[in-house]
Amino acid sequence: MPRFPRLLMDSDALYRLQQSDRCASAAPTVGSMSTQQADLVFEDLAESYVQYRPVPPPSLISVVVDYVKQGRGDDLVLCGDVGCGSGQNTFLYSNHFRQVVGVDVSVQQMAQAHTHANSVTFRKGSAEQLPFPDASVALLTCCASVHWFDFKPFYAEVDRVLKPGGALATYGYHGCTPLYNNTSLRELFLQFWRELDKYWTDGHQHLWAEYTDLPQLYPDDVQIKTSEGRFSTETDVTLDIILGYISSWSAFSKLTQAEGKEAAAAFLHNCKQRLLKAMGTQDENVPMRRRYDYFLRMWRKPAPSESLYK
Ligand SMILES: C[S@@+](CC[C@H](N)C(=O)[O-])C[C@H]1O[C@@H](n2cnc3c(N)ncnc32)[C@H](O)[C@@H]1O
């Protein structure tokens, strides 16, 4: 049974949201991948997402919310989280907005979201056909998701649904940094990523460029790179959490689909052995840490007379 919170309706915008039913029934293309194909990849990953994916740091959420306030004042009614997955980013806005709606092509992903805020709801839909009325949204967020979208229809939808002064915030991270005894195992970790090269999409290049290479949307454009060290989050983990995170990669899901479960298990086992060797221990339960460094790119929609985007 999906555990979706109920939708609260307490403004004109929310009323119009209820009236609108623009969920994705067609399958627009997403780069080289259709939304149906993306759904299949992420369906397999639903459980590992909720367990192993990181939650963005509060410092990042504050910067995004302040940016929206600069453009919309206290009009924090509706926030849409596009490509919300299992909702770990969606819930972070529940204290700031009257209504937060997570949107994803994968119902399986959203079904993993825990209901701990009744201002949050989830809807099946695609980035290229957003389930929001025109000029209804103050903030759209995309956490680790925009590189999956087809930019032309997505940007057209962003421009349609945002209120003037509203914002699109895109952010993400490129893998994690495992730490053992304060020593970084990042280089080894990146080797694992590269070994799955043929299973990453072209869109993943945008992650490595920290979204600086995304097509331009509006002139008011804020970029904060990981090198500024502003949005890091570090937690205590054990090796199984690092391996679980690797098993949540779309490239890992594709490895499993293409080469079978045994090949995927062998890949993970090999990662484990190499990590243990680098750490100089055979004890899988030693305490470790895991750091994610986030980058952020966001745009503010100008007033209609200023708009350059068509
Ligand atoms: C890497 S996950 C990120 C999930 C979540 N935002 C997080 O922070 O972990 C990307 C998500 O985008 C969704 N997705 C991919 N293509 C999409 C599209 N065209 N429209 C909406 N969601 C899409 C996938 O189903 C998946 O849940």
Side-chain angles (χ1 to χ4, degrees):
M1 262 289 274
R3 290 160 286 164
F4 296 171
R6 286 174 57 78
L7 186 64
L8 294 183
M9 290 294 158
D10 50 9
S11 79
D12 285 348
L14 300 182
Y15 175 74
R16 284 183 283 133
L17 170 65
Q18 192 181 41
Q19 302 306 305
S20 113
D21 191 20
R22 296 178 50 117
C23 295
S25 50
T29 56
V30 183
S32 58
M33 189 179 254
S34 74
T35 53
Q36 278 173 343
Q37 287 169 318
D39 186 5
L40 283 180
V41 171
F42 286 101
E43 176 183 330
D44 284 352
L45 297 173
E47 282 183 23
S48 55
Y49 251 75
V50 74
Q51 270 179 285
Y52 302 119
R53 286 286 168 144
V55 176
S59 54
L60 187 150
I61 306 305
S62 300
V63 168
V64 172
V65 171
D66 286 349
Y67 187 63
V68 187
K69 284 184 177 165
Q70 283 164 27
R72 295 290 318 159
D74 286 332
D75 172 19
L76 300 186
V77 175
L78 181 58
C79 166
D81 182 29
V82 189
C84 63
S86 47
Q88 49 272 73
N89 177 65
T90 322
F91 287 110
L92 300 178
Y93 291 92
S94 64
N95 289 336
H96 301 283
F97 285 80
R98 253 199 283 165
Q99 179 69 37
V100 186
V101 181
V103 177
D104 204 286
V105 288
S106 170
V107 170
Q108 286 79 5
Q109 280 280 348
M110 293 185 289
Q112 295 294 326
H114 297 293
T115 51
H116 51 253
N118 59 8
S119 57
V120 177
T121 189
F122 294 90
R123 269 186 97 158
K124 182 174 168 71
S126 80
E128 297 80 6
Q129 238 183 333
L130 289 172
F132 301 114
D134 297 356
S136 61
V137 179
L139 171 65
L140 286 172
T141 58
C142 302
C143 178
S145 58
V146 75
H147 53 278
W148 286 94
F149 306 161
D150 191 351
F151 286 105
K152 206 168 170 214
F154 174 56
Y155 279 9
E157 282 292 83
V158 170
D159 197 54
R160 180 182 68 76
V161 305
L162 277 185
K163 295 180 173 186
L168 168 69
T170 65
Y171 41 93
Y173 48 87
H174 26 68
C176 71
T177 301
L179 297 151
Y180 178 61
N181 282 343
N182 291 324
T183 302
S184 166
L185 300 164
R186 171 89 174 160
E187 260 320 304
L188 179 55
F189 182 85
L190 293 182
Q191 282 175 31
F192 304 153
W193 182 288
R194 286 192 288 267
E195 285 162 20
L196 296 183
D197 251 354
K198 66 178 170 182
Y199 296 119
W200 294 112
T201 65
D202 291 345
H204 283 87
Q205 289 307 321
H206 295 304
L207 285 178
W208 297 98
E210 303 198 341
Y211 291 167
T212 57
D213 60 346
L214 296 188
Q216 182 60 298
L217 178 60
Y218 300 125
D220 191 330
D221 174 2
V222 175
Q223 300 185 28
I224 300 177
K225 302 199 70 182
T226 54
S227 54
E228 295 181 43
R230 288 181 57 185
F231 307 132
S232 295
T233 164
E234 212 175 290
T235 47
D236 290 327
V237 293
T238 44
L239 197 54
D240 57 319
I241 303 286
I242 306 285
L243 296 169
Y245 167 58
I246 294 173
S247 76
S248 80
W249 288 349
S250 60
F252 184 82
S253 167
K254 287 199 203 157
L255 166 73
T256 313
Q257 284 167 13
E259 299 180 33
K261 285 187 177 164
E262 276 183 23
F267 175 79
L268 268 192
H269 182 73
N270 182 266
C271 295
K272 177 161 101 178
Q273 294 309 321
R274 286 153 73 194
L275 281 164
L276 285 169
K277 188 168 174 212
M279 290 153 62
T281 177
Q282 277 310 307
D283 182 354
E284 296 176 18
N285 297 314
V286 287
M288 299 176 68
R289 290 186 62 83
R290 176 177 86 155
R291 191 180 74 231
Y292 286 91
D293 300 301
Y294 282 75
F295 52 86
L296 168 68
R297 185 162 185 194
M298 54 189 177
W299 291 270
R300 190 184 356 258
K301 179 176 176 171
S305 58
E306 302 166 39
S307 184
L308 295 182
Y309 179 71
K310 298 286 172 229

